[in-house]
């Protein structure tokens, strides 16, 4: 699954620089996550860095974008150029 930033976001911006895939960006009202870039930090870290640093705990898994660990690893490899 990709992650999702909920309406509880306080726009503190601490999550954005922590994302190794640059999937987090400032939306119109709150920060948002590009599901095409989010790998839940698979391939980079053991845990999603945005979730770890978020002070209000507003970044759950996105139920509309389910992906298993293998799919997330394949996305990581494609994003980093490790596969075509």
């Amino acid at each position: 699954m990709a992650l999702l930033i909920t309406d509880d976001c306080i726009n503190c911006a601490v999550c954005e620089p922590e994302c190794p895939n640059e999937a987090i960006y400032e939306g119109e009202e709150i920060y948002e996550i590009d599901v095409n870039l989010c790998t839940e930090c698979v391939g980079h870290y053991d845990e999603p860095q945005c979730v770890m640093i978020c002070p209000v705990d507003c970044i759950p898994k996105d139920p509309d974008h389910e992906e298993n660990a293998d799919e997330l690893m394949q996305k990581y490899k494609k994003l980093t150029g490790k596969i075509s």
Side-chain angles (χ1 to χ4, degrees), residues 31-49:
Y31 279 82
E32 298 180 23
I33 297 177
D34 182 335
V35 298
N36 296 310
L37 298 176
C38 179
T39 63
E40 296 181 37
C41 290
V42 167
H44 295 283
Y45 301 102
D46 292 334
E47 296 180 52
Q49 299 300 289

Side-chain angles (χ1 to χ4, degrees), residues 58-69:
C58 69
I59 309 176
K61 292 181 183 263
D62 185 344
D64 293 332
H65 296 95
E66 294 188 29
E67 295 171 291
N68 63 37

Side-chain angles (χ1 to χ4, degrees), residues 3 8 10 27 34 39 43 56 60-61 63-64 68-69 73 78-79 81:
L3 299 171
D8 293 333
I10 59 172
D34 182 335
T39 63
V56 293
K61 292 181 183 263
D64 293 332
N68 63 37
M73 181 56 80
K78 187 171 184 179
L79 289 171

Side-chain angles (χ1 to χ4, degrees), residues 13 22 73 80:
E22 299 180 357
M73 181 56 80
T80 58

